[in-house]
Amino acid sequence: MVMSLFFFYSFLCFVLLISLCFSSSFDHHLCSPTETSALLQFKQSLQVKSDYSLCDTSFPKTKSWNESKDCCTWDGVTCDVLTGHVIGLDLSCSQLVGNFHPNSSLFQLHHLQTLNLAYNDFYPSSIPHNIGRLTNLRHLNLSYSTFDGKVPTEISYLSNLVSLDLSYGFALQLNERTFEAMLHNFTNLELLSLFLVNISSPIPVNISSSSLRYVDLYDTNLQGALTENFFLLPNLEMLYLSYNDLLNGVFPKIHPSSTLLELSIAYTGISGEIPDSIGTLSSLKYLNLQQCQFSGSIPDSVGNLTEIRELILSHNHFTGHIPSTISKLKQLTCLDLLSNSFSGEIPEIFSNLQELRHLDLSKNSFIGPFPSSILSLTHLEYLGLSSNSLSGPLPSNAGMLPNLTELDFSYNSLNGTIPSWVFSLPLLSSVSLQHNRFRGLTDEVIKTNPTLKDLHLSHNQLSGSFPQSLVNLTNLVTLGISSNNITVDEGINITFPSLSSLFLSSCELKDFPHFLRNMKTLTVLDISNNKIRGQIPDWFSGMRWDSLRFLNLSYNSLTGYLPQLHFHNLGYLDLKFNSLHGPLPSSICNMSKLSLLDLSHNNFSGSITHCLDSMVELSVLDLRRNNFIGSLPPFCAHSTLLSTILVNGNRFEGTVPMSLLNCFRLEIFDVGNNAINDTFPAWLGMLQELQVLILKLNKFHGRLSSRKKFYFPKLRIFDLSCNKFSGSLPARLFENFSAMIKLDDGDKGEIKYMEQLSEYSMYEDSVSLVIKGHDIELEKINTIMTTIDLSSNHFEGVIPKTVKDLGSLRLLNLSRNNLKGPIPQGLQFNTFANDSYGGNLDLCGLPLSKQCGTSGSSHVPQPSESYFFSGFTWESVVIGYSFGLVVGTVMWSVMFQYRKPIWFVEFFDGLMPHKRRRSKKRALRRQT
Ligand SMILES: *[C@@H]1O[C@H](CO)[C@@H](O)[C@H](O)[C@H]1NC(C)=O
Ligand SMILES: *[C@@H]1O[C@H](CO)[C@@H](O)[C@H](O)[C@H]1NC(C)=O
Ligand SMILES: *[C@@H]1O[C@H](CO)[C@@H](O)[C@H](O)[C@H]1NC(C)=O
Ligand SMILES: *[C@@H]1O[C@H](CO)[C@@H](O)[C@H](O)[C@H]1NC(C)=O
Ligand SMILES: *[C@@H]1O[C@H](CO)[C@@H](O)[C@H](O)[C@H]1NC(C)=O
Ligand SMILES: *[C@@H]1O[C@H](CO)[C@@H](O)[C@H](O)[C@H]1NC(C)=O
């Protein structure tokens, strides 16, 4: 596209140059005084700002303008050879700044045929109506001249225009009438570029500009259906309609005489199938249909596009096989079928496609062996086959891929050994083989390869000792080898002097790998979920890892005291599920860059009352299941970023610290299973983001009812069970759970646990699994769980009728209190069974068998229809938002296996197709 524009402009310049030569060969005054003064007036109305340079070379052309010389010799001015009239003005890239006057003297130059004001800054002027007076204009270029507001209707009077360029018109609006008038009146128009102008209307039906060759309506907010009219223009060569997501309709039928060279309709709402007639576009060089709604298969006639260089069909719903006729497209440099539903084996068509540089077949349903004809593509630079179901081994001989820089075969079922060529291609920089079934690495020597930076081997079946054969990959930056059956022997001596990220989680490590001593540049280290026992060795804690940002030692069997760790820049420290004990060392409390600290499920003890004082960036704190004592630290006294506070299962006492009021981002607060002795912290209701509040099993007491309002606008999980709360259940409490009353689809209120760490999920899948595990589980909890548990307290009196209005309440437990009177009926309340109300002897009405008064129903619910989960504990919720995907999912399925209330089936079905965000991100990354 840029090239084509360039071509057009070069041509124009050529024409101008010729006329310029002619004009300057006449050495006498030709310029009329009126035109001279008009030009000088124009010059004076604007400023020149020398630091304003959008162009590579900008030059203040108007500087040379003065009366002592004939105006025809001024920079940028062209005169007619015979008449001496100014017919051309090229002030592009002239550093002009200022307000463009509506009655600018420029409009006195009636003879102007060419006006180029591109790349200047006229903001906030709008394009003057008087532009319509320059009716001799053939070329008008206002690209990137920062005009603002409406394009005047008068522009449509310029019926002699051959080229009109308003591109980069970020602030320009072109209304429907003017757009129509232009395409109706400009019968000689060849070039039209409105890139980024806001049109917000349909493509006009009536296009008289049959000479159009180049049309750029990229990102112009076009609406309505794509009509055939552009496709019928007899001279059209370039048509760009991409990034108009409101543009819909189907791919128009192609006219056999079409002259199209480039067609781009990516990122629009266009749907349907590619018509057979596509094959008639025999001159087409570029076709981009990325991210539309296309379906069906690729017609065989695509093989007639013998001139095509780039064929981009990614992110659609295409199905079927790759047609073998593609092998006729000998000019192809880019074939991108990423993220469709293509199936079958990948045909061996590539030996003919010798020009291919970019080949992406990822995220489809291809099966069968690795297509070895790919290995003959000598120009190939990118090769993506990930997320298919390819099986069998990789060919042992690579042939020639001298220019390949990135290969991605991840997420397939490839097996056998990884051949040496994968490591030794001369320009290769990134190799992704994770999530396959490779059992080993080549026995051959792996030679030094200075270009290889990223190597992903995680989630395979590699076994034995850490592959020493990688030792020659001296410039590795990222190495992922998690989830393999790999040990690291003490003797192994490997140095990766540039290594930044090392993923060795879920392997068979029994010790801290000694070779870590050689890796001084680490930023990310994950050796979680191994079999590392005993104390953290001194050499490890003594490392000077100033660059370390992420350390995951979770799920090992670490014992003893946690030593002082001097990793000052650590942002993420995960030690959960070990057996560490004793108080926290002061160095942890001094880690001022921590945003996540997870010490849960250890035996840490002591007080942490002042430990958080320096952690000004902390956002997730998980201390569950330890033996911490003393009062809760003053959360958010020093930072206000905390979004998750989990201290369940410790021995904290005292009251809930009022400093929590500063935690305006707080979403989850779980102090269950401690010894907090306080009244109900109703003031937490001021926290607008709070979704989970668990006070279970403490020494809370007193009445809930206060004359003040309860807020809690987003609360979804509310657990006060097993405390000593007393008094009646205040109607207001339930009234104000508006989130539960109205759970609208637009705001699912995602709890974004660990979102700030998602950058790491880009590094390696094993990490993303753990992190995304949380993520998925939290979203799940958050959508499913809208629950109130007030059981095992001393509440008394009647159940307020307002409970009934909590339309999206999924679990309610009021059992073991002293409630009486009728149970509210209707809505989902019919799905709560006996156990919701058990132990309240004076309650009556459905679902209890005890009737209220005498007129009650005699229907007694069947025990087998009981929808309440008597086995329900908060442990399952806690598991849900902490343990990650596997445990959580198992728990849920066990819980729901036998009793599936209808709402649950609906909910769960809705959840299954949850797309993992990682894949989305990848897709985005690819596009850029
Ligand atoms: C076409 O241009 C002429 C002047 O050249 C103008 O009078 C007329 O209104 C224009 N037509 C439309 C539809 O704008
Ligand atoms: C286009 O392709 C189809 C199917 O491959 C073929 O039958 C037809 O002859 C081709 N048409 C032209 C004009 O080449
Ligand atoms: C490899 O890339 C370089 C630089 O882009 C290019 O000059 C060379 O011709 C390419 N080689 C092949 C075989 O494509
Ligand atoms: C590799 O995969 C192929 C195709 O699925 C299978 O036939 C073969 O048995 C596998 N080999 C090994 C060693 O697992
Ligand atoms: C590393 O490369 C050198 C030559 O470049 C080779 O002699 C040596 O065997 C290689 N080491 C391994 C472990 O492959
Ligand atoms: C893991 O590797 C060891 C040898 O290193 C082997 O004995 C064991 O069977 C392997 N386990 C699996 C599951 O492959």
Side-chain angles (χ1 to χ4, degrees), residues 630-632 651-657 675-679 698-700:
S631 52
L632 290 171
R651 294 192 278 140
F652 288 114
E653 2 171 88
T655 57
V656 179
I676 307 292
N677 188 343
D678 202 349
T679 53
N698 274 289
K699 297 180 183 164
F700 284 98

Side-chain angles (χ1 to χ4, degrees), residues 2 36 95 100 129 162 220 255 294 342 365 392-393 598 629-630 673 753 790 865 868:
V2 173
T36 303
Q95 305 173 351
F100 203 103
H129 296 269
V162 174
T220 51
H255 204 252
F294 285 105
F342 289 112
S365 303
D598 191 343
I629 58 168
N673 282 291
Y753 187 34
L790 304 179
E865 286 175 24
F868 184 74

Side-chain angles (χ1 to χ4, degrees), residues 852-870:
C852 301
T854 50
S855 62
S857 153
S858 61
H859 178 75
V860 178
Q862 308 273 311
S864 62
E865 286 175 24
S866 167
Y867 287 144
F868 184 74
F869 317 108
S870 52

